[in-house]
Amino acid sequence: MAQLSRRRFLGLSVLAAAAGGTLLSACSSEDVASRVASRHKDGILQVGVASAPSNINPLDSGSEVTRWISEPVVESLYTYDDSLASVPLLADGEPELSKDKLTWTIRLRQDITWQNGDPLTADDVVATLAHVTDLSAGSEWVTYFIGYVQKFHAVDEHTVAIVTTKPYGLMRSHLTNLPIVHKDYVASKNQIMGTGPYKLDSFVPGQSFVTSRYDGYHGDKPAFNGITFTVFQDGSTREISLKQGKIDLITSVPYRDLNAMKNESGLTVQVSESPLDILTYVLMTREPFNDDNFRRAVAVSMDRAGVVEKVFGGEATTGQGPIGPAELGWDPSLQEFPATPDYELAKSLLAKASTTRRDFVMTIGANQTSKDVAQVLAAGWSQIGLKVTIEQLAGGPWSNKWLGRDYDMLMNMFQSGFTSGPANYMTLAPADSTNVLSCGYHNEEVNKLIAVVWQTFDDAEREDALKKVNRILAEDAVIFPPAYPRLALARRNEITPVDEQMLRVSRIEFQNLKFATSG
Amino acid sequence: MTTTVTSIEPAPVSPLAAPAPKRWHRVREWRAAIQGFASWLGVGCLAFFLLIATVGRIGRDPEALVTLGAEAPSLAHWFGTDNLGRDVFARTASGAWTSLLISLSCILLAVLIAVPLGMWAGWRHGKRTDDIIMRGLETMQALPMFIFVMFIIMLVGSKPIDIGPFTIGMEPRIAVCLALGFVPFFARIARAGTLVEMQEDYVAGLQVIGVKQRRILTREIYVNVMPSVWVQCFLGIAIAIFAEGGLSFLGLGVAPPQATLGNLIAEAGSQIIGGAWWYAIFPGLVMVIGILGFNLVGDAFNDNVLGSRGEAERA
């Protein structure tokens, strides 16, 4: 065999590369629409999500990561109608409230069955409540019930009574958002048994979740034979999979690509106001944020416009206080901080500060958006001589810092719709000096207003209290997020639009979507 | 009195000890080392990397947001800008400087720890001290260096550590962790070099005339062991740049917004799919050029300096 010369070898390599390239282009030129039509013959909706929980129990977490996957599987006693009013779902009518407003009696519908065929009973609701009020169970819901819920019991097979220690107006919100799970599955971290239109068949942790239609569902028969959730952690990979027609809908569209995605044929980007917050807390019990002037300097030199434009591509509102535009208590007249940083004012405030510290650690969540926000803010703060170290942590360690009050500044993205509906009550918790999450801020008026928010049965009074708290916390530079981002989804035009009203409570309602072409 | 070594392996005792090289001899040797195309390519790559890492940083703020979003390379921004509007050239230069600083300090620290350890082990060859040192180093080598360093970094965390008035950031911690990973590597070279020198006549002669052991070790053997170590330092720096890049890529390196070549490439990963090719290509290219430069120059010195000494001695 003749020896291959270097020149011949290079020539052959170029030819091979060209042939390979042509072959690849031929493979990729298949019509996307026909690929989608062919894929839809199995009746499965393919959804691309950004992350997946290790514990899939919807009672343990209110985050969208868990709840979007469990949304078609579980239901709650009440749900939101088209105007976001709370209406019965598993409950048989409105709850009865005792005269002292301490006992809630809820009757259950008798025509509901679990996905394993068992009938829904009061014992299931009691088991669910027992799990979420058990401190050792690790449920996020415990923070909503502890101190308020005294006891609960089954009055009869289809009636539940909940007794509270004091009037608890937010109970109706919780009954509308808390999923009800079969009594044998309340503590399970790898199985979900609900009453929803789809049942969870299998899942590969961190990779995919496969659901199929539950034929015994009590409501309208859903359109899809099943819904499959696939995890694509990288935003660009999610986008490309959608463009190529491999999936039908993606959550968490990277904001930097929103404008490019909007111009893609065959795709629709839906951007909606949603209770999506950039949680921003500073610890006021230690330097440097225990100094009022330092805190204000940081707040006025925050590059809010930079965050809105560079990170969110304009799909966000400039931040002021803790309450955003999609949340109860939003006050558009509150303009405490400038959109563009006021460096001169910040420098003069720093000059008056008693602390000599000119550095702090910003502890952020492990997502790219938080990292981008942090970097834009750090670039702005460097203009007034502040050195910021960005510490990026996964959910668990991040929460530990929060609970352990071991931080200078905490920041993370958080969807509150699955726990609070069109509001975010937990975002105020660190401002309450009696709360376990207290950031060290002491203001009796704020404590009283937060108590009103939780206890009142009057929605107008709650909204008024929220507005007042929002203003005080902004004016005192206690909670000052840089922006209120909008929720962004992208879908193929072969499926029907997501209800934007429902996005205001973080619900995508996959079970209500349909293939557009099949009518 | 000094002599030279042929290699890091034990060699037969030469009856003719080489004369002490004068300073100009060494300069000539180093110049002679840069021979051949590969060597000059290495020098060119190294010079380019050092220029980017030093001169490239002058007058540029790697954290400043200079454009509204990502922009392709232009006269104003040679390497383009990233999604947040930061100049990629400024960030690449800053990243190269950070990588260089960490690599140099880690190798220096590793040499400072490893050479005395290795020489001491070599001096006490076959005795208990030698056993303890070498078994300890072998224990460190049980894990691959990169895994070992990742393990240490995860233990110490990424948050700055305050010790009195001093704050220890991530860079020194990475340098220390990488240095620990390099200690067995350099200690073995120093020990092997010491073993070779111990067999030389001049050592026996010095012992006979009553020169103290410590003096023989620090004044005579040391100078003959170090050329091998310095040559390996070039290769070590290349490995350290690569390791630092890998750690930053995995999110265990220097925290943002500070740039390193590794975290620039990591952040560019998803943007390259979106068409922003410049954000990954240029920092990647600079890193490759730097690693190539250190490797080729190290190879050149290895072949031409140590090799020529060996030939001279054999002659």
Side-chain angles (χ1 to χ4, degrees):
Chain A
M1 190 178 165
Q3 201 174 9
L4 200 63
S5 72
R6 181 180 292 188
R7 187 173 293 178
R8 191 174 169 77
F9 173 75
L10 286 172
L12 285 174
S13 304
V14 170
L15 273 177
T22 312
L23 195 66
L24 283 174
S25 345
C27 292
S28 62
S29 63
E30 185 195 345
D31 178 38
V32 174
S34 62
R35 176 191 288 170
V36 174
S38 166
R39 185 170 55 72
H40 281 176
K41 284 176 186 164
D42 62 6
I44 306 289
L45 176 75
Q46 297 284 349
V47 179
V49 292
S51 55
S54 52
N55 168 11
I56 62 170
N57 190 338
L59 297 179
D60 289 352
S61 172
S63 92
E64 73 282 6
V65 173
T66 307
R67 293 296 299 276
W68 275 337
I69 289 165
S70 62
E71 200 183 352
V73 182
V74 293
E75 294 177 313
S76 46
L77 293 171
Y78 296 87
T79 190
Y80 292 103
D81 69 5
D82 292 342
S83 61
L84 299 187
S86 175
V87 294
L89 181 60
L90 298 179
D92 188 8
E94 289 296 305
E96 286 176 17
L97 190 59
S98 63
K99 282 184 181 170
D100 59 5
K101 296 188 174 180
L102 295 180
T103 304
W104 295 66
T105 305
I106 304 146
R107 293 186 197 290
L108 304 179
R109 282 171 61 176
Q110 299 187 21
D111 59 338
I112 309 284
T113 55
W114 295 101
Q115 288 148 1
N116 64 358
D118 292 350
L120 169 73
T121 67
D123 289 341
D124 296 307
V125 180
V126 168
T128 297
L129 288 169
H131 180 78
V132 298
T133 52
D134 178 3
L135 278 170
S136 64
S139 169
E140 188 180 313
W141 280 94
V142 76
T143 50
Y144 292 93
F145 291 118
I146 196 165
Y148 281 98
V149 173
Q150 186 180 43
K151 59 182 179 181
F152 38 82
H153 60 278
V155 177
D156 59 41
E157 196 178 355
H158 290 100
T159 309
V160 179
I162 304 170
V163 181
T164 58
T165 54
K166 46 196 162 188
Y168 192 24
L170 275 191
M171 179 62 88
R172 180 59 185 259
S173 165
H174 300 334
L175 298 177
T176 313
N177 291 293
L178 175 70
I180 303 298
V181 172
H182 188 290
K183 63 187 174 197
D184 295 338
Y185 295 83
V186 289
S188 175
K189 297 188 189 308
N190 54 15
Q191 283 178 295
I192 311 176
M193 184 58 67
T195 57
Y198 289 90
K199 57 184 193 296
L200 181 67
D201 292 333
S202 63
F203 74 99
V204 180
Q207 291 184 30
S208 61
F209 298 78
V210 178
T211 69
S212 64
R213 186 162 57 204
Y214 169 48
D215 291 327
Y217 182 57
H218 59 89
D220 294 337
K221 186 179 172 184
F224 307 117
N225 292 334
I227 303 172
T228 298
F229 298 88
T230 307
V231 179
F232 299 91
Q233 288 190 341
D234 180 68
S236 297
T237 312
R238 276 199 304 284
E239 286 175 26
I240 291 199
S241 300
L242 184 72
K243 285 180 196 171
Q244 292 178 339
K246 292 176 182 170
I247 49 179
D248 299 302
L249 184 147
I250 61 169
T251 63
S252 315
V253 181
Y255 289 95
R256 63 170 182 264
D257 297 335
L258 274 182
N259 290 328
M261 290 281 282
K262 284 174 185 171
N263 296 326
E264 284 284 336
S265 64
L267 304 184
T268 300
V269 176
Q270 285 191 248
V271 182
S272 172
E273 292 290 3
S274 181
L276 173 57
D277 292 284
I278 304 175
L279 299 180
T280 310
Y281 301 122
V282 293
L283 192 62
M284 294 169 61
T285 54
R286 69 184 192 198
E287 281 196 285
F289 286 104
N290 61 347
D291 187 301
D292 285 354
N293 286 313
F294 185 91
R295 239 175 27 250
R296 285 176 201 281
V298 168
V300 298
S301 56
M302 213 178 215
D303 188 359
R304 293 171 175 80
V307 170
V308 168
E309 290 304 324
K310 292 175 191 291
V311 180
F312 296 109
E315 294 293 357
T317 306
T318 305
Q320 298 291 331
I323 295 174
E327 295 164 353
L328 195 67
W330 160 245
D331 183 359
S333 69
L334 178 63
Q335 294 296 327
E336 183 68 19
F337 306 113
T340 50
D342 187 340
Y343 294 130
E344 290 311 311
L345 176 58
K347 283 177 185 169
S348 68
L349 286 166
L350 274 184
K352 285 190 260 178
S354 56
T355 178
T356 54
R357 286 269 303 270
R358 293 295 178 268
D359 65 291
F360 62 88
V361 177
M362 195 177 185
T363 306
I364 61 170
N367 55 74
Q368 185 61 42
T369 307
S370 291
K371 192 173 169 184
D372 286 347
V373 170
Q375 292 190 95
V376 170
L377 294 178
W381 286 325
S382 71
Q383 303 293 314
I384 55 167
L386 295 182
K387 180 172 169 50
V388 180
T389 302
I390 298 171
E391 181 186 30
Q392 200 165 19
L393 296 177
W398 188 91
S399 299
N400 290 342
K401 291 256 177 190
W402 193 11
L403 287 165
R405 299 185 213 183
D406 177 23
Y407 60 89
D408 289 337
M409 175 182 274
L410 272 181
M411 192 174 274
N412 209 349
M413 306 282 288
F414 181 70
Q415 282 264 1
S416 60
F418 281 108
T419 47
S420 304
N424 189 356
Y425 304 116
M426 283 310 290
T427 194
L428 305 175
D432 183 347
S433 61
T434 62
N435 195 290
V436 290
L437 297 171
S438 168
C439 66
Y441 175 65
H442 292 276
N443 185 326
E444 275 309 312
E445 187 186 358
V446 167
N447 288 357
K448 282 177 188 168
L449 287 167
I450 291 176
V452 168
V453 169
W454 284 59
Q455 292 172 18
T456 183
F457 286 79
D458 181 346
D459 285 344
E461 186 184 19
R462 177 175 295 117
E463 185 172 2
D464 187 50
L466 282 167
K467 279 185 178 174
K468 285 178 183 164
V469 173
N470 189 40
R471 182 170 289 275
I472 293 170
L473 296 180
E475 286 173 351
D476 287 357
V478 177
I479 302 177
F480 44 92
Y484 312 113
R486 297 182 189 103
L487 179 65
L489 304 169
R491 63 176 171 83
R492 293 210 58 82
N493 291 340
E494 288 86 352
I495 63 165
T496 54
V498 175
D499 185 343
E500 297 213 352
Q501 186 72 346
M502 286 296 127
L503 289 178
R504 294 185 72 91
V505 285
S506 303
R507 269 69 164 177
I508 297 178
E509 295 196 324
F510 301 101
Q511 65 273 25
N512 291 343
L513 301 177
K514 292 174 184 166
F515 292 130
T517 47
S518 65
Chain B
M1 181 178 176
T2 61
T3 187
T4 55
V5 295
T6 54
S7 73
I8 57 172
E9 297 298 326
V13 178
S14 168
L16 298 171
K22 292 180 181 171
R23 199 174 292 275
W24 64 271
H25 277 143
R26 288 195 179 163
V27 172
R28 203 166 59 184
E29 271 185 348
W30 285 67
R31 209 169 56 192
I34 312 300
Q35 286 175 350
F37 173 73
S39 305
W40 283 111
L41 179 68
V43 171
C45 287
L46 193 55
F48 175 78
F49 181 79
L50 294 176
L51 270 176
I52 292 273
T54 52
V55 180
R57 296 169 61 235
I58 298 171
R60 292 181 173 86
D61 181 354
E63 290 167 28
L65 312 176
V66 291
T67 61
L68 193 59
E71 283 185 8
S74 63
L75 279 177
H77 307 291
W78 300 342
F79 288 5
T81 59
D82 68 9
N83 64 313
L84 299 180
R86 295 173 296 189
D87 187 289
V88 176
F89 181 80
R91 292 188 67 70
T92 304
S94 172
W97 174 250
T98 309
S99 299
L100 185 68
L101 216 56
I102 289 174
S103 307
L104 285 174
S105 49
C106 113
I107 295 298
L108 195 66
L109 184 62
V111 167
L112 280 175
I113 299 169
V115 169
L117 267 182
M119 288 181 66
W120 192 22
W123 184 260
R124 308 290 294 172
H125 174 59
K127 296 184 177 156
R128 199 172 173 185
T129 312
D130 182 30
D131 278 348
I132 291 171
I133 292 172
M134 295 318 291
R135 296 304 84 77
L137 295 176
E138 280 163 12
T139 307
M140 289 171 73
Q141 283 187 304
L143 278 176
M145 191 180 87
F146 197 69
I147 305 290
F148 173 76
V149 173
M150 280 171 67
F151 176 70
I152 301 274
I153 287 177
M154 277 192 275
L155 281 182
V156 297
S158 60
K159 195 181 165 187
I161 299 172
D162 293 316
I163 301 175
F166 302 105
T167 300
I168 302 175
M170 204 54 196
E171 300 98 310
R173 271 184 286 170
I174 291 174
V176 170
C177 292
L178 284 172
L180 288 176
F182 274 107
V183 164
F185 176 70
F186 286 115
R188 283 180 173 280
I189 294 168
R191 179 177 177 272
T194 307
L195 286 178
V196 170
E197 294 303 316
M198 294 270 291
Q199 295 175 47
E200 296 286 348
D201 287 348
Y202 76 92
V203 175
L206 289 168
Q207 285 174 325
V208 167
I209 61 171
V211 179
K212 286 183 179 175
Q213 287 189 351
R214 186 189 295 170
R215 188 180 171 87
I216 297 172
L217 202 59
T218 56
R219 299 284 176 89
E220 307 298 334
I221 294 179
Y222 169 77
V223 290
N224 289 308
V225 166
M226 284 315 285
S228 310
V229 173
W230 291 133
V231 166
Q232 293 302 317
C233 282
F234 279 98
L235 303 176
I237 291 170
I239 296 170
I241 291 174
F242 186 71
E244 185 281 322
L247 288 171
S248 296
F249 184 85
L250 294 172
L252 294 169
V254 176
Q258 189 173 344
T260 71
L261 294 175
N263 68 26
L264 287 179
I265 295 167
E267 283 188 12
S270 56
Q271 295 185 39
I272 202 165
I273 302 175
W277 55 269
W278 56 90
Y279 195 24
I281 294 288
F282 289 120
L285 212 56
V286 168
M287 185 189 236
V288 167
I289 287 171
I291 292 171
L292 190 69
F294 278 111
N295 263 311
L296 289 178
V297 171
D299 275 350
F301 279 115
N302 191 41
D303 295 344
N304 300 332
V305 174
L306 295 184
S308 64
R309 282 180 176 176
E311 281 163 17
E313 193 160 296
R314 276 192 293 276

